Coordinates of all heavy atoms in Angstrom, one line a residue:
Chain B
T781 N 30.9 -10.7 -22.6 CA 29.8 -11.6 -22.7 C 28.5 -10.9 -23.1 O 27.6 -11.6 -23.6 CB 29.6 -12.2 -21.3 OG1 29.4 -11.1 -20.3 CG2 30.6 -13.1 -20.9
R782 N 28.5 -9.6 -23.0 CA 27.3 -8.9 -23.4 C 27.5 -7.9 -24.5 O 26.6 -7.2 -24.9 CB 26.7 -8.2 -22.2 CG 26.3 -9.1 -21.0 CD 25.9 -8.2 -19.8 NE 24.6 -7.6 -19.9 CZ 24.2 -6.6 -19.0 NH1 25.0 -6.2 -18.2 NH2 22.9 -6.1 -19.2
C783 N 28.7 -7.8 -24.9 CA 29.1 -6.8 -25.9 C 28.6 -7.2 -27.3 O 28.7 -8.3 -27.8 CB 30.5 -6.6 -25.9 SG 31.1 -5.2 -26.9
F784 N 28.0 -6.2 -28.0 CA 27.5 -6.4 -29.3 C 28.6 -6.2 -30.4 O 28.5 -6.4 -31.5 CB 26.4 -5.4 -29.7 CG 26.7 -4.0 -29.4 CD1 27.1 -3.2 -30.4 CD2 26.6 -3.5 -28.1 CE1 27.4 -1.8 -30.2 CE2 26.8 -2.2 -27.8 CZ 27.3 -1.3 -28.9
R785 N 29.9 -5.9 -29.9 CA 31.0 -5.7 -30.8 C 32.1 -6.7 -30.5 O 33.2 -6.6 -31.0 CB 31.6 -4.3 -30.8 CG 30.7 -3.3 -31.4 CD 31.1 -1.9 -31.0 NE 32.3 -1.5 -31.6 CZ 32.4 -0.8 -32.8 NH1 31.2 -0.4 -33.4 NH2 33.5 -0.5 -33.3
A786 N 31.8 -7.7 -29.6 CA 32.9 -8.6 -29.1 C 33.5 -9.4 -30.2 O 32.7 -9.9 -31.1 CB 32.4 -9.4 -28.0
Q787 N 34.8 -9.6 -30.2 CA 35.5 -10.4 -31.1 C 36.3 -11.4 -30.4 O 36.3 -11.4 -29.1 CB 36.5 -9.5 -32.0 CG 35.9 -8.3 -32.6 CD 35.5 -8.4 -34.0 OE1 36.1 -9.3 -34.7 NE2 34.5 -7.7 -34.5
E788 N 36.9 -12.3 -31.1 CA 37.8 -13.3 -30.4 C 38.8 -12.7 -29.5 O 39.0 -13.2 -28.3 CB 38.4 -14.1 -31.5 CG 39.0 -15.4 -31.0 CD 38.1 -16.3 -30.2 OE1 36.9 -16.2 -30.6 OE2 38.4 -16.9 -29.2
K789 N 39.4 -11.6 -29.8 CA 40.4 -11.0 -29.1 C 39.9 -10.6 -27.7 O 40.6 -10.7 -26.7 CB 40.9 -9.7 -29.8 CG 42.0 -9.0 -29.2 CD 42.4 -7.8 -30.0 CE 43.3 -7.0 -29.2 NZ 44.4 -6.4 -29.4
C790 N 38.7 -10.2 -27.6 CA 38.0 -9.7 -26.4 C 37.9 -10.8 -25.4 O 37.9 -10.6 -24.1 CB 36.6 -9.1 -26.6 SG 36.7 -7.8 -27.9
R791 N 37.9 -12.0 -25.8 CA 37.7 -13.1 -24.9 C 39.1 -13.5 -24.2 O 39.1 -14.1 -23.1 CB 37.3 -14.4 -25.7 CG 35.8 -14.5 -25.8 CD 35.4 -15.7 -26.5 NE 35.0 -15.4 -27.8 CZ 33.8 -14.8 -28.1 NH1 33.0 -14.5 -27.1 NH2 33.5 -14.7 -29.3
H792 N 40.2 -13.0 -24.8 CA 41.5 -13.3 -24.2 C 42.3 -12.2 -23.6 O 42.9 -12.3 -22.5 CB 42.3 -14.0 -25.3 CG 41.7 -15.1 -25.9 ND1 41.1 -16.3 -25.2 CD2 41.2 -15.3 -27.2 CE1 40.5 -17.0 -26.0 NE2 40.6 -16.5 -27.3
D793 N 42.2 -11.1 -24.3 CA 43.1 -9.9 -23.8 C 42.3 -9.0 -23.1 O 41.2 -8.5 -23.4 CB 43.7 -9.2 -25.0 CG 44.5 -10.2 -25.9 OD1 44.8 -11.3 -25.4 OD2 45.0 -9.7 -27.0
I794 N 42.8 -8.5 -21.9 CA 42.3 -7.5 -21.1 C 42.6 -6.2 -21.7 O 43.8 -5.8 -21.8 CB 42.7 -7.6 -19.6 CG1 42.3 -9.0 -19.1 CG2 42.2 -6.5 -18.8 CD1 42.8 -9.3 -17.7
P795 N 41.6 -5.4 -22.1 CA 41.9 -4.1 -22.7 C 42.4 -3.1 -21.5 O 42.0 -3.1 -20.4 CB 40.6 -3.7 -23.3 CG 39.6 -4.3 -22.5 CD 40.2 -5.6 -22.0
Q796 N 43.4 -2.3 -21.9 CA 43.9 -1.3 -21.0 C 43.2 0.0 -21.2 O 42.6 0.2 -22.2 CB 45.4 -1.0 -21.2 CG 46.3 -2.2 -21.0 CD 46.4 -2.7 -19.6 OE1 46.3 -1.9 -18.7 NE2 46.3 -4.1 -19.5
L797 N 43.1 0.8 -20.1 CA 42.6 2.1 -20.2 C 43.5 3.0 -20.9 O 44.5 3.4 -20.4 CB 42.3 2.7 -18.8 CG 41.1 3.7 -18.7 CD1 39.8 3.3 -19.1 CD2 41.1 4.1 -17.2
L798 N 43.1 3.3 -22.2 CA 44.0 4.2 -23.1 C 43.4 5.5 -23.4 O 42.1 5.6 -23.5 CB 44.3 3.4 -24.4 CG 45.0 2.0 -24.2 CD1 45.1 1.3 -25.6 CD2 46.4 2.2 -23.6
E799 N 44.2 6.4 -23.7 CA 43.7 7.7 -24.0 C 43.5 7.8 -25.5 O 44.4 7.7 -26.3 CB 44.7 8.8 -23.6 CG 44.2 10.2 -23.8 CD 44.8 11.2 -22.8 OE1 45.9 10.9 -22.3 OE2 44.2 12.3 -22.6
F800 N 42.2 8.0 -26.0 CA 41.9 8.0 -27.3 C 41.8 9.4 -27.9 O 42.0 9.8 -29.0 CB 40.7 7.2 -27.6 CG 40.9 5.9 -28.0 CD1 41.2 4.9 -27.1 CD2 41.0 5.5 -29.3 CE1 41.5 3.6 -27.4 CE2 41.3 4.2 -29.7 CZ 41.6 3.2 -28.7
A801 N 41.4 10.3 -27.0 CA 41.3 11.7 -27.4 C 41.8 12.4 -26.2 O 41.9 11.9 -25.1 CB 39.9 12.1 -27.7
P802 N 42.2 13.7 -26.2 CA 42.7 14.3 -25.0 C 41.8 14.2 -23.9 O 40.6 14.7 -23.9 CB 42.9 15.8 -25.4 CG 43.0 15.8 -27.0 CD 42.3 14.6 -27.4
G803 N 42.2 13.6 -22.8 CA 41.4 13.5 -21.6 C 40.3 12.5 -21.7 O 39.4 12.4 -20.9
H804 N 40.3 11.7 -22.7 CA 39.2 10.8 -22.9 C 39.8 9.3 -23.0 O 40.4 9.0 -24.0 CB 38.4 11.1 -24.2 CG 37.1 10.4 -24.3 ND1 36.1 10.8 -25.1 CD2 36.7 9.2 -23.7 CE1 35.1 10.1 -25.0 NE2 35.3 9.0 -24.2
Q805 N 39.6 8.6 -22.0 CA 40.3 7.2 -21.9 C 39.2 6.2 -22.0 O 38.2 6.3 -21.4 CB 41.0 7.0 -20.6 CG 42.1 8.1 -20.4 CD 42.6 8.0 -19.0 OE1 42.9 7.0 -18.5 NE2 42.7 9.2 -18.4
V806 N 39.6 5.1 -22.6 CA 38.6 4.0 -22.7 C 39.3 2.7 -22.6 O 40.5 2.6 -23.2 CB 37.8 4.2 -24.1 CG1 38.7 4.1 -25.3 CG2 36.6 3.2 -24.1
A807 N 38.7 1.7 -22.1 CA 39.3 0.4 -22.1 C 38.5 -0.5 -23.0 O 37.6 -1.1 -22.5 CB 39.3 -0.2 -20.6
C808 N 38.9 -0.5 -24.2 CA 38.2 -1.3 -25.2 C 39.1 -1.6 -26.3 O 39.8 -0.8 -26.8 CB 36.9 -0.6 -25.6 SG 35.9 -1.6 -26.8
H809 N 39.0 -2.9 -26.9 CA 39.8 -3.2 -28.1 C 39.2 -2.6 -29.3 O 40.0 -2.3 -30.3 CB 39.9 -4.7 -28.2 CG 40.6 -5.4 -27.1 ND1 41.9 -5.1 -26.8 CD2 40.2 -6.4 -26.2 CE1 42.3 -5.8 -25.8 NE2 41.3 -6.6 -25.4

Side-chain angles (χ1 to χ4, degrees):
Chain B
T781 54
R782 295 172 81 195
C783 185
F784 51 97
R785 288 166 74 95
Q787 311 261 333
E788 194 51 37
K789 181 178 171 133
C790 303
R791 274 181 251 288
H792 310 299
D793 297 353
I794 298 173
Q796 300 295 322
L797 198 61
L798 300 173
E799 187 155 19
F800 266 81
H804 194 157
Q805 301 166 47
V806 62
C808 181
H809 296 302

